[in-house]
Amino acid sequence: MKFEIGDIIKLKKKHPCGNFEWEVLRVGADFRLKCMGCGHQIMIARRIVEKNVKEIRKSLDSE
């Protein structure tokens, strides 16, 4: 899968705030994701993100 900074990804499981969507802030072996609902930021391993992603929406500036 191809991820870019600014993409919005939808994961299988929801965040405790109730939101499924995350913004990609950093890409590499680890990802930094920001919850689109509450703004909470997490660092998570690439393999976990790739396994749990349902949908990728590209950012407007990357098109």
Side-chain angles (χ1 to χ4, degrees):
M1 289 187 207
K2 179 99 170 98
F3 296 97
E4 295 180 8
I5 294 173
D7 289 352
I8 306 298
I9 60 174
K10 187 172 184 179
L11 299 180
K12 292 179 183 176
K13 293 184 179 179
K14 65 181 172 181
H15 189 247
C17 73
N19 196 19
F20 287 92
E21 295 184 335
W22 297 81
E23 180 182 0
V24 178
L25 300 178
R26 179 183 180 274
V27 178
D30 293 323
F31 280 39
R32 178 172 295 281
L33 302 177
K34 181 174 90 173
C35 179
M36 298 300 289
C38 65
H40 183 77
Q41 293 186 17
I42 60 169
M43 287 289 286
I44 188 168
R46 173 183 281 272
R47 64 179 180 81
I48 296 173
V49 173
E50 289 178 344
K51 186 176 92 173
N52 291 313
V53 71
K54 285 176 68 175
E55 175 185 340
I56 302 173
R57 289 188 304 173
K58 295 295 179 185
S59 61
L60 296 176
D61 58 346
S62 68
E63 293 180 353

